[in-house]
Amino acid sequence: MTVDSSPETPAAPAAPVPQQSLSTAAARNLTTTTKSAPQMQEITSRWLLRMLPWVETNGGAYRVNRRLRHTVGDGRIVFVQEGSTVRVIPRELGELALLRDFEDLDALTALAERCTQRDFAVGEVIVERGSPADRIHLIAHGRIRQCAEGKYGGEITLAVLADGDHFGENALLDSDAHYDYTATAETSGTLLTLSRGDFAAVQDSAPLLRAHITEFSSATRRRQNKHGEAEIALSAGHVGEADLPSTFVDYELKPREYELSVAQTILKIHTRVCDLYNGPMNQTEEQLRLTIEALRERQEHELINNREFGLLHNADFKQRIQTHSGPPTPDDMDELLCRRRGTKFFLAHPRTIAAIGRGFNACGLYPDHVDLGGQSVPAWRGVPILPCNKIPISKEQTSSILAMRTGEKNQGVIGLWQTGLPDEVEPGLSARFMGINEQAVISYLVSTYYSAAVLLPDALGVMENVQIARGRG
C-alpha cells in the first residue's frame, strides 16, 4: 500500500465580506449615553442615625439634670505595661468609688507604688469564698469569673470581670470583711493588688487622704436607694394619724452638659465644570450629595467612638457586662436585655450579628425577625438587632454589642442637633458659599452639628469582648 507523502496545498483565504451597514462603534458617536448617578461604596444603612430620636439643642449645649447620686466611681482602671511589668497610673485610682474626686497626686502615687503585681494562669483560684478579704484586686489583663453557692445548692455565676475591672474594694476599710464568692481565672492574665495594711500606711502619712476617707464614710451612711440616688422618704401601710416623713428631692449640683460637635469639610468645584458640564446631571448637586453621605457616615462613627460623647465610652461601668464563654449566646443577650426597661434595639457589627446567629444555632435556636420600616431585621425577644459597621473589632477578633432605650420621655439615649442653620440643605447640615478664588474655583463650607446624650445610666448597656471569630470544629 502506497502512502502519498506530498504536502497538502493550503486553501486560499476567503474574500472579505464587504460592510453592509454602519458599525455600532461608529454609531455610538451620535448617541446620548445613559448614565448612572455617581455611586459610593462607603454608604451604609446608618441605623443609629435613623433610630435615635433627635432633640433640638438651642445654644449648642444640652444639660442632663439628675437626682443627686452618692455612689460614683466604680470605673474602669487603665494600666501601663513596660515589658512584663505592669503598673497602674496613679490618677486612675480615682476611678475607685472611695477615691473618687480625690486629687492629691502624691498620695495616689504612693498608693500606686504599693500595688503588687500577680500573674495568674487558667483555672487558678484568685480568692476563695469565706476567706478574709484584706486587699483590693485590679485586673490589668485577663478574665476572672466570680461564683458563689446557690440557695438550693450548686454553683452560680455572679459576674465575669475583665481588663480594667476590680473587686474587693470594701476590704480596704473593713477589717472584718470576707469574700462571699470564689474568683477563678478563665484565662491567663495579670492583676495588681493593694493590701489594707499598705492603704492604711499611706493614709496615716497623708492628711488629705484621711480627710477624704472620713468624708466618704459619712456620705455612704446617707440613706440612698439601690441606684445610689438620695432617698425620697415615704410612708406606706400606716393607719390612723401617724406622723408622716418629710422629704425633698435633691439634684446634682454639677450636671453634665453635652456640647454639639461638628464635622466639616470644604467642597471645591471649578466654575468651568459647573458652566459647561452641568447636564444632564447637576455637578454641584452630585458633589454635594456624595459629600453629605461621607459626613453622615463620619457622624455615626463619632456617635459610637468619640471619647467625649460616643456611646461606647459613655456607657456606665455598671452597665458593662462580659460574655460568659467568649462567643455571644442567648443567655448573654438575655443578661444584656434585662438590665434596662424598654430596650428599643441592639446595635452590633455585621460580623458580630453573624456570630450571634451561630451562637443561637448552636443552642438549637434561631433569631426572630421583625418588620422595621418595611425591612425585615433579626430580633431577640422582639428587640431588633441592627447592624453598624462603626463598632470596632479588635485585633483579637472581639467586638461589642450595644443595647439602648431611647427618647426623652423614656429617659433614654437621644441624639442632639440644631436645625434652622444658615444655608441648611438637610436638618442640622448646611452648605455655605465661601466664594470664588483667583483660579475660578468655587468653595462651599459643608458642616453638620451633632452629639448624643445618655439621660440615665441604665439607658445604655454594652456587652464587651464578644468573640466573633469562628472556632474550629
Side-chain angles (χ1 to χ4, degrees):
M1 182 176 177
T2 306
V3 178
D4 187 3
S5 58
S6 60
E8 296 182 359
T9 303
V17 178
Q19 182 174 334
Q20 302 181 44
S21 64
L22 180 68
S23 69
T24 57
R28 288 185 60 187
N29 292 328
L30 301 182
T31 65
T32 299
T33 304
T34 303
K35 312 172 188 63
S36 73
Q39 307 298 299
M40 183 174 180
Q41 190 171 347
E42 186 182 6
I43 300 174
T44 65
S45 54
R46 299 198 291 267
W47 276 108
L48 180 60
L49 299 188
R50 294 158 62 181
M51 294 295 291
L52 278 183
W54 291 90
V55 175
E56 189 69 27
T57 309
N58 296 320
Y62 186 93
R63 179 180 299 158
V64 178
N65 290 307
R66 294 176 178 172
R67 280 175 59 184
L68 178 65
R69 300 180 70 207
H70 294 309
T71 54
V72 292
D74 292 333
R76 194 63 56 85
I77 298 174
V78 178
F79 300 83
V80 175
Q81 183 177 4
E82 298 174 350
S84 60
T85 302
V86 175
R87 57 184 178 86
V88 61
I89 299 174
R91 289 196 182 278
E92 288 295 315
L93 292 176
E95 293 296 331
L96 301 176
L98 79 166
L99 294 177
R100 187 72 170 186
D101 296 328
F102 180 66
E103 298 181 353
D104 184 358
L105 186 57
D106 292 337
L108 293 175
T109 302
L111 291 173
E113 291 174 349
R114 289 177 178 260
C115 290
T116 304
Q117 180 174 334
R118 174 182 174 181
D119 297 324
F120 53 86
V122 179
E124 182 178 342
V125 176
I126 308 299
V127 300
E128 198 154 0
R129 180 172 175 265
S131 61
D134 64 346
R135 62 191 62 238
I136 185 175
H137 298 76
L138 315 175
I139 305 174
H141 178 67
R143 285 166 55 96
I144 295 177
R145 182 184 298 271
Q146 292 179 334
C147 298
E149 184 178 349
K151 181 178 180 179
Y152 303 103
E155 191 177 76
I156 60 173
T157 298
L158 300 179
V160 179
L161 307 178
D163 305 10
D165 288 327
H166 62 275
F167 61 94
E169 185 174 359
N170 61 323
L172 296 180
L173 299 180
D174 186 1
S175 59
D176 297 326
H178 286 74
Y179 294 111
D180 54 4
Y181 51 81
T182 298
T184 306
E186 289 197 326
T187 67
S188 59
T190 302
L191 57 79
L192 300 181
T193 64
L194 177 64
S195 68
R196 183 168 57 245
D198 287 335
F199 183 81
V202 175
Q203 186 178 348
D204 291 340
S205 61
L208 292 178
L209 180 58
R210 285 201 307 273
H212 178 84
I213 296 300
T214 300
E215 182 180 356
F216 171 81
S217 300
S218 62
T220 56
R221 287 193 293 268
R222 299 173 191 164
R223 295 181 64 85
Q224 52 192 263
N225 61 23
K226 65 179 182 179
H227 304 292
E229 297 171 327
E231 187 177 83
I232 299 176
L234 302 171
S235 178
H238 55 276
V239 295
E241 298 179 352
D243 291 334
L244 298 181
S246 61
T247 188
F248 68 95
V249 181
D250 207 355
Y251 303 136
E252 289 183 350
L253 294 178
K254 297 180 180 180
R256 178 170 179 180
E257 288 190 354
Y258 293 84
E259 294 186 358
L260 293 184
S261 183
V262 61
Q264 290 179 310
T265 188
I266 297 177
L267 174 62
K268 295 187 175 184
I269 307 171
H270 201 286
T271 52
R272 184 183 301 172
V273 172
C274 297
D275 294 341
L276 303 181
Y277 305 99
N278 227 24
M281 298 180 189
N282 187 297
Q283 293 283 357
T284 302
E285 290 181 359
E286 293 301 320
Q287 288 280 304
L288 183 58
R289 179 179 66 85
L290 297 182
T291 302
I292 290 174
E293 295 284 1
L295 280 176
R296 292 302 191 198
E297 293 292 330
R298 182 56 180 267
Q299 177 181 352
E300 187 175 64
H301 178 275
E302 292 293 306
L303 290 175
I304 293 289
N305 297 288
N306 188 282
R307 298 196 66 86
E308 294 297 323
F309 58 85
L311 299 183
L312 282 178
H313 297 282
N314 280 269
D316 190 88
F317 289 108
K318 291 183 179 179
Q319 294 295 326
R320 298 173 184 262
I321 65 172
Q322 306 291 324
T323 60
H324 282 70
S325 59
T329 65
D331 289 341
D332 294 324
M333 297 295 287
D334 279 341
E335 185 173 354
L336 182 60
L337 182 64
C338 74
R339 287 177 172 253
R340 73 201 44 79
R341 58 178 170 83
T343 301
K344 186 71 172 180
F345 59 90
F346 296 103
L347 200 66
H349 193 281
R351 290 183 58 192
T352 306
I353 296 178
I356 292 173
R358 292 195 298 269
F360 283 17
N361 292 339
C363 297
L365 300 173
Y366 190 77
D368 299 327
H369 281 74
V370 297
D371 182 84
L372 204 61
Q375 183 173 347
S376 180
V377 297
W380 178 242
R381 308 289 190 193
V383 179
I385 306 174
L386 304 179
C388 177
N389 68 343
K390 314 304 188 303
I391 300 176
I393 296 176
S394 71
K395 62 181 180 181
E396 293 85 9
Q397 296 299 293
T398 62
S399 188
S400 300
I401 302 173
L402 287 79
M404 65 188 78
R405 179 178 70 244
T406 60
E408 275 189 307
K409 291 185 178 180
N410 292 326
Q411 303 176 96
V413 181
I414 58 174
L416 306 176
W417 66 4
Q418 184 171 327
T419 59
L421 302 172
D423 301 314
E424 189 173 64
V425 294
E426 287 186 3
L429 188 147
S430 67
R432 189 172 299 177
F433 177 71
M434 296 178 64
I436 305 175
N437 66 11
E438 294 180 355
Q439 287 76 38
V441 175
I442 306 173
S443 297
Y444 294 91
L445 176 63
V446 188
S447 309
T448 181
Y449 300 92
Y450 57 89
S451 188
V454 183
L455 301 187
L456 280 183
D458 71 341
L460 174 66
V462 179
M463 186 190 303
E464 300 179 313
N465 299 315
V466 179
Q467 180 181 321
I468 64 174
R470 186 190 297 270
R472 294 185 177 181

